[in-house]
Amino acid sequence: MQNNKLPTIKEIAKKLNVSVSTVSRALHDHPSIGLVTTMRVHKVAKELGYEVNKSAIYFKERKTYTIGVIIPSLAEPFFSSALCGVEDFAGQFNYNVIIGQSLDSFEREQRIVENMKDHRVDGILVSLTKETSTYEHFDNLKKYNIPIVFFDRVPQKKDIHFVSCNLHSGMLQAISRFVDAGHKKIGLINGPAKMAATLQRLEIYFKCLKENNLPINYDIIASTTLSKEDNVKAIKKLIDQEEIPTAVMVFNDYVLLDCIATVKAAGLEVNKDISFISFANLPIWEYMDTRPLASIEQFSYKQASIATDFLFKLIDANNKGESTEIDYLQQIIDSEIVNY
Amino acid sequence: MQNNKLPTIKEIAKKLNVSVSTVSRALHDHPSIGLVTTMRVHKVAKELGYEVNKSAIYFKERKTYTIGVIIPSLAEPFFSSALCGVEDFAGQFNYNVIIGQSLDSFEREQRIVENMKDHRVDGILVSLTKETSTYEHFDNLKKYNIPIVFFDRVPQKKDIHFVSCNLHSGMLQAISRFVDAGHKKIGLINGPAKMAATLQRLEIYFKCLKENNLPINYDIIASTTLSKEDNVKAIKKLIDQEEIPTAVMVFNDYVLLDCIATVKAAGLEVNKDISFISFANLPIWEYMDTRPLASIEQFSYKQASIATDFLFKLIDANNKGESTEIDYLQQIIDSEIVNY
DNA sequence: GTTGACTACGCAAACGTTTGTGTAATTTTT
DNA sequence: AAAAATTACACAAACGTTTGCGTAGTCAAC
């Protein structure tokens, strides 16, 4: 029904008997075009409902004003909140955001990177898959001059741009909180061994224990693959002892939910017989009856915002053709505990 | 450092002393190109690391293989789950998804639509702002042949493609559940008057009461602007009576959380003194101690998936140049209660 | 040995825009 | 009044790809 064809600069030119270059310049109010002509062009453009064809410009400029975000899962509040940060920030710069869910599959991550590269995005933000331990698929992007900034789940290497969260500050606050409350036996429920976050949490846990002059006791350290039954198994390991830990650091809120249910079922009272502090990834505790003492907040929104800022800096540098590789943009923000 | 320029079809052509058209066809294994030439082209293409410039193709084909999704907020699980549905579905078709958060602002919604139009997306999925009551900004898209499918929060008009959720089925199940449990005084806490969902819930509430031969009683109907204090005010209205409603339908889970806290604070016991069923938008109840009797699930993921399917049908029709306006694609799926 | 059919490829236009360069016409300078 | 400068525009190339059409060359058929 509608006229399928959108008006172009050519049609304006024809209508006014001027050249397309004149029209183009007039539309940009270029000084070399006379005032009358400029006005006439604007008038006709408006009449025709002309709008630039951005696809043409993207093509010509070799830019798309689009950035890609690769996150493990949209369903996780931690990441949807991060995406929110990206979107808010990118929107202000009139950039579009395309998303890709890796669903924690390395293969999907590769495919998404490939796809975004094909789409010629101007830059990519990534939070890695649990499985990701090699980074060739990202290194490839350098050939295409597509900058990449990692956030939260970042590669274990130094020659990258990234934003991550320092668990030490939060964990230290957490342990202090426990210690101040009189706890001496502070356990840990950790994640899957292959996740970078797991090793990190363990190291920092040790470090913080040391800083508080507490002994390391492997009987009160458990790990889980994050499945429900494994979570239950982990907490059961800790409470199936004569002398159970009175405080436990828990890998994340999902795990903690299972822990809470399990200890309750075992007849223990949370925050009395046993206290918890978790690494926050669910914004639910304020609505819950049974809460951990506190959570260690890792500020996904903030991380993502900073990462996006970095990305725009890099894209900018690209535009200006600053071939001299600028320094790696890296920022580690402090985690903090939030009390409940 | 890197060679900034990506190899093009031209360079392959030059290298082999053939024309670009030959290369193009060879790359697509066109039968009119000899086998040897085809193979040589493929070989050189591989050597050079050639990849098609999709921007060029997008431009030429006037397509971007990208769809836009406009949702009120990524932070709401209901919508991030919907986005998840879109992404999963679109990914299978090798389509990209760009997102826009309206943040329930009509003005932002307009801007996002504009932006997506500029970006020449192939289609748009929308869940409306609470404020949206006029639709010119969407009607505009027809000029550009950009199909649009609404989901969940859909316009109050008939000449659109949409997927929405029928509250009647779920509400009827809910009221029946209450009635079966012996409840006779079933209240309602509704949303802001200007939201379409509010009127709808009210009408269906009346209808379901009628179908169960229950009287309408305005003393046990309240409404809230969805702010915390308003939520509290609403539930207080219901329980500050001699004879309180023993069952209440609640606008959504956020409201319900406040209701539960409030009735507890008032010394009432949930599921004994007063029972609730809410319209689900938070996937948290299975982790909570105090739960509603059930929730009315509106299947955001499913709605979004179907809407995406519709959108692809429309895009397909567009591609085939089926100018004959195909019928409006409309589907109303049944809500269902899920018990806790 | 003139047709006709195939094969295998090249030419050029087209998509819409921007931009460097060229050039008349007009105005200013000397 | 001739030279120089300025104004206001046009021309054409370029971005990378696809595709309709044209055309040499080969081979078989009559």
Side-chain angles (χ1 to χ4, degrees):
Chain A
M1 299 298 108
Q2 311 280 358
N3 191 351
N4 199 342
K5 261 313 216 20
L6 298 171
T8 73
I9 216 175
K10 280 186 191 169
E11 277 141 52
I12 302 180
K14 195 168 290 173
K15 206 148 194 162
L16 276 95
N17 264 319
V18 294
S19 73
V20 291
S21 51
T22 301
V23 175
S24 174
R25 290 188 165 99
L27 287 172
H28 292 84
D29 292 314
H30 192 283
S32 85
I33 303 297
L35 192 58
V36 272
T37 310
T38 301
M39 280 172 51
R40 293 204 307 153
V41 167
H42 277 297
K43 184 157 165 280
V44 174
K46 188 155 221 167
E47 283 170 11
L48 262 49
Y50 168 80
E51 288 170 64
V52 305
N53 182 332
K54 289 220 178 148
S55 289
I57 305 207
Y58 293 167
F59 163 50
K60 200 178 196 321
E61 293 191 355
R62 292 191 194 78
K63 290 201 60 193
T64 56
Y65 297 95
T66 300
I67 61 175
V69 184
I70 306 177
I71 52 178
S73 167
L74 277 164
E76 283 191 40
F78 185 84
F79 292 114
S80 66
S81 144
L83 179 57
C84 196
V86 175
E87 218 271 332
D88 286 354
F89 205 96
Q92 292 169 19
F93 284 71
N94 275 320
Y95 262 70
N96 292 110
V97 179
I98 83 177
I99 56 170
Q101 286 186 90
S102 63
L103 301 178
D104 269 322
S105 147
F106 178 67
E107 196 206 334
R108 274 187 67 105
E109 186 176 83
Q110 285 179 305
R111 273 213 310 275
I112 294 169
V113 170
E114 195 71 13
N115 176 43
M116 287 186 175
K117 181 206 66 191
D118 284 350
H119 200 265
R120 298 288 209 266
V121 294
D122 294 343
I124 298 185
L125 293 166
V126 183
S127 199
L128 296 175
T129 289
K130 285 179 194 162
E131 300 177 1
T132 306
S133 56
T134 79
Y135 312 110
E136 286 96 24
H137 52 309
F138 296 120
D139 295 337
N140 266 332
L141 295 174
K142 282 190 184 151
K143 276 191 289 195
Y144 305 94
N145 244 306
I146 301 177
I148 177 164
V149 178
F150 298 91
F151 69 94
D152 195 65
R153 297 209 204 150
V154 306
Q156 303 294 80
K157 47 196 298 225
K158 282 294 150 206
D159 55 341
I160 54 167
H161 311 282
F162 75 90
V163 179
S164 69
C165 189
N166 159 28
L167 297 184
H168 185 251
S169 52
M171 176 92 82
L172 200 56
Q173 290 172 40
I175 303 275
S176 299
R177 182 97 157 67
F178 280 148
V179 169
D180 290 351
H183 294 283
K184 301 226 159 67
K185 219 174 164 187
I186 302 171
L188 170 69
I189 293 185
N190 214 345
K194 60 187 168 189
M195 271 186 77
T198 298
L199 180 59
Q200 203 186 359
R201 277 160 167 71
L202 186 66
E203 282 173 351
I204 295 181
Y205 168 75
F206 285 157
K207 200 169 168 189
C208 291
L209 285 185
K210 198 171 180 183
E211 289 172 35
N212 282 276
N213 294 314
L214 293 171
I216 290 173
N217 176 356
Y218 284 94
D219 290 339
I220 55 173
I221 299 177
S223 67
T224 166
T225 60
L226 306 183
S227 73
K228 184 166 190 138
E229 57 175 346
D230 231 39
N231 296 342
V232 170
K233 208 182 289 178
I235 181 68
K236 276 196 173 155
K237 172 187 168 185
L238 299 199
I239 60 175
D240 280 359
Q241 321 192 359
E242 297 105 75
E243 205 181 319
I244 68 167
T246 57
V248 181
M249 299 292 318
V250 181
F251 188 73
N252 69 26
D253 287 334
Y254 289 109
V255 178
L256 177 53
L257 284 162
D258 291 329
C259 292
I260 288 177
T262 306
V263 302
K264 276 189 179 174
L268 297 174
E269 195 171 331
V270 174
N271 287 333
K272 195 172 164 209
D273 301 316
I274 188 166
S275 296
F276 295 102
I277 292 183
S278 63
F279 289 88
N281 60 340
L282 279 177
I284 55 167
W285 297 114
E286 58 171 310
Y287 299 116
M288 306 281 287
D289 300 317
T290 306
R291 309 171 181 184
L293 223 54
S295 277
I296 298 176
E297 177 59 51
Q298 299 181 253
F299 305 106
S300 66
Y301 184 97
K302 187 177 170 192
Q303 282 192 61
S305 300
I306 298 174
T308 310
D309 183 35
F310 282 1
L311 190 60
F312 280 128
K313 285 202 174 75
L314 294 166
I315 291 174
D316 236 38
N318 255 352
N319 289 348
K320 291 178 188 147
E322 292 170 13
S323 58
T324 54
E325 188 65 63
I326 66 173
D327 289 340
Y328 289 111
L329 300 176
Q330 307 187 332
Q331 183 165 342
I332 300 175
I333 67 174
D334 282 341
S335 58
E336 282 174 25
I337 66 165
V338 297
N339 296 309
Y340 293 114
Chain B
M1 300 294 111
Q2 313 281 355
N3 191 350
N4 199 340
K5 260 313 213 24
L6 298 172
T8 72
I9 217 174
K10 280 187 190 169
E11 277 141 52
I12 302 179
K14 196 166 289 171
K15 207 149 194 162
L16 278 99
N17 266 319
V18 295
S19 73
V20 292
S21 51
T22 300
V23 175
S24 172
R25 285 193 247 260
L27 288 171
H28 292 84
D29 292 314
H30 192 282
S32 84
I33 303 298
L35 193 59
V36 271
T37 310
T38 301
M39 280 171 51
R40 294 204 307 154
V41 168
H42 277 296
K43 185 158 163 279
V44 174
K46 188 156 220 166
E47 283 168 13
L48 262 50
Y50 167 81
E51 287 170 63
V52 305
N53 181 332
K54 289 220 177 150
S55 289
I57 307 211
Y58 292 167
F59 163 50
K60 201 179 193 322
E61 292 192 354
R62 293 193 194 78
K63 289 201 62 194
T64 55
Y65 296 95
T66 299
I67 61 173
V69 184
I70 306 177
I71 53 177
S73 167
L74 278 165
E76 283 190 41
F78 185 84
F79 291 115
S80 65
S81 143
L83 180 57
C84 196
V86 176
E87 218 272 331
D88 286 354
F89 205 98
Q92 293 169 19
F93 285 71
N94 276 319
Y95 262 70
N96 292 108
V97 179
I98 82 176
I99 56 169
Q101 286 187 91
S102 63
L103 300 178
D104 270 322
S105 147
F106 178 68
E107 198 206 333
R108 274 187 66 105
E109 185 176 85
Q110 285 179 305
R111 273 213 309 277
I112 294 170
V113 170
E114 196 70 13
N115 175 45
M116 288 186 173
K117 181 206 64 191
D118 284 350
H119 200 267
R120 297 288 209 268
V121 295
D122 294 344
I124 297 185
L125 293 166
V126 183
S127 199
L128 295 175
T129 289
K130 284 178 194 161
E131 301 176 2
T132 306
S133 57
T134 77
Y135 313 109
E136 287 94 25
H137 51 311
F138 296 120
D139 294 337
N140 267 330
L141 295 173
K142 283 190 183 151
K143 277 191 288 197
Y144 304 94
N145 245 307
I146 301 177
I148 176 164
V149 178
F150 298 91
F151 70 94
D152 194 65
R153 296 209 203 150
V154 306
Q156 305 292 80
K157 48 198 297 229
K158 283 293 151 205
D159 55 340
I160 54 168
H161 311 282
F162 76 90
V163 180
S164 68
C165 189
N166 159 28
L167 296 184
H168 186 252
S169 51
M171 175 92 83
L172 200 55
Q173 289 173 40
I175 302 274
S176 298
R177 182 97 157 68
F178 280 148
V179 169
D180 290 350
H183 295 283
K184 301 227 160 67
K185 220 175 163 187
I186 303 171
L188 170 69
I189 293 185
N190 213 345
K194 60 186 168 189
M195 271 185 78
T198 298
L199 179 58
Q200 202 187 0
R201 277 159 165 71
L202 186 65
E203 282 173 352
I204 294 181
Y205 167 76
F206 285 158
K207 200 168 165 188
C208 290
L209 286 185
K210 197 170 180 186
E211 290 172 32
N212 282 277
N213 294 314
L214 293 170
I216 292 173
N217 176 355
Y218 284 95
D219 291 337
I220 55 173
I221 299 178
S223 67
T224 167
T225 61
L226 306 183
S227 73
K228 183 164 190 137
E229 57 175 347
D230 232 39
N231 295 343
V232 171
K233 208 182 289 179
I235 181 67
K236 276 196 173 153
K237 173 189 168 185
L238 298 199
I239 61 176
D240 281 356
Q241 321 193 359
E242 296 107 75
E243 205 181 321
I244 68 166
T246 57
V248 181
M249 299 293 319
V250 181
F251 188 73
N252 68 27
D253 287 334
Y254 290 109
V255 177
L256 178 52
L257 283 162
D258 291 329
C259 292
I260 288 176
T262 305
V263 302
K264 277 188 179 173
L268 296 174
E269 195 170 332
V270 174
N271 287 332
K272 196 172 161 211
D273 301 318
I274 188 165
S275 298
F276 295 102
I277 292 184
S278 64
F279 289 88
N281 60 339
L282 280 178
I284 54 166
W285 298 114
E286 57 172 311
Y287 300 114
M288 305 283 285
D289 301 317
T290 306
R291 308 171 181 184
L293 223 55
S295 277
I296 298 175
E297 177 59 52
Q298 298 181 254
F299 305 104
S300 65
Y301 184 96
K302 186 177 170 192
Q303 281 192 61
S305 301
I306 298 174
T308 311
D309 182 36
F310 281 1
L311 190 59
F312 280 128
K313 286 203 173 75
L314 293 165
I315 291 174
D316 237 38
N318 255 351
N319 289 348
K320 292 179 186 147
E322 292 171 10
S323 59
T324 54
E325 189 64 66
I326 65 173
D327 288 339
Y328 289 112
L329 300 175
Q330 308 187 330
Q331 184 165 344
I332 300 175
I333 67 174
D334 281 341
S335 57
E336 282 174 26
I337 66 166
V338 297
N339 296 310
Y340 294 114

